[in-house]
Amino acid sequence: AKAAGKGTYAIYSPLMLEALEARVKLEADLRRAVEQHQFRVVYQPLVDIGTGSVNGVEALVRWHHPERGLIGPVDFIPLAESTGLIGAIGEYVLREACQQVAGWRSTVPGAENLRVSVNLSAQQLEDPGLLSLVTQVLQETGLPATSLVLEITEGVLVNHHEAALSTLNALRAMGVRLAIDDFGTGYSSLSYLHRLPVDILKIDKSFVDRLSDNGDLSLVDAIVSMATTLGLATVAEGIEHEHQRTALQIQGCDTGQGYHFSPPVSAELVPELVVAALTS
Ligand code: C2E
Ligand code: CA
Ligand code: CA
Ligand code: CA
């Protein structure tokens, strides 16, 4: 028999049972991971496409599983969301990232105005405690609100609830900047998204991938010029090649992120990346 809806029982085939057991085990592990602080934050530079200077870093979570080793976010964030554990994980990432970046700003040459971008999931956005959490973390760490960027995927922004909208407005009124993550993957119009309180548009990697040597520039060109008209800054994700960087610079894109500049790195390596960009 097939798995039935919530609250009902069903008969499972051996294979389904195995998958179910694996999931139940992973969920228990994830719960333990929260209690035992098994998460780490890595940082990927956001680079000025023209000058190469590091203007910010995106915080990306990693799970160091005691038996299975390093687990990437795509393999546990969905489970964290469906179990509600994303709240605790997200709070850790926000606090850790703000603390790190506030520290670098006061000690690392060239990092005085470093920004930090933190990913928010739908559940966090709908949590009525989000506003006070952000306020508290900024207060604790001394990071100016204007140096914090919260990234929300296009899909989540489109499906937002009214309560989320008032949270977004309040965050923006504090000075926190909001970015539309993975733009272009959700088939929504930019003019619609612009009615939401957002400042930055992150162009999804799939568009950057299409910028091959003699490939089609028109799509990225259209996105960047529309964003510029609407007063949004643009960040291109997943830049892997110099020719993509050049093409994006010509299109007028402000900021880039991708393996071409640097992969995500552990906190210890961030200061030297900032300094190297300063002196090159
Ligand atoms: P994202 O926010 O779109 O983050 C960018 C992802 O692309 C990262 O994967 C990054 O390592 C990868 N990337 C960056 N440059 C390149 C490139 O040049 N080439 C390729 N192939 N990939 C590149 P990562 O770290 O595995 O994160 C995956 C997703 O997991 C993120 O996508 C984000 O949606 C989610 N995520 C990560 N950390 C958090 C978090 O703290 N909270 C929440 N809610 N989601 C998170
Ligand atoms: Ca992101
Ligand atoms: Ca993204
Ligand atoms: Ca993505």
Side-chain angles (χ1 to χ4, degrees), residues 34-92:
V34 172
E35 287 160 14
Q36 300 183 352
H37 311 288
Q38 293 169 5
F39 301 102
R40 297 289 174 275
V41 180
V42 293
Y43 299 89
Q44 186 175 34
L46 275 79
V47 173
D48 182 304
I49 269 191
T51 68
S53 68
V54 178
N55 294 339
V57 289
E58 178 173 359
L60 295 159
V61 70
R62 299 289 181 263
W63 177 10
H64 290 262
H65 191 288
E67 291 126 40
R68 296 174 52 192
L70 191 67
I71 304 182
V74 292
D75 294 319
F76 70 87
I77 292 284
L79 184 62
E81 284 170 341
S82 64
T83 53
L85 291 166
I86 190 67
I89 298 169
E91 178 172 342
Y92 160 74

Side-chain angles (χ1 to χ4, degrees), residues 181-182 204 237:
D181 204 354
D182 301 348
D204 190 68
E237 301 188 304

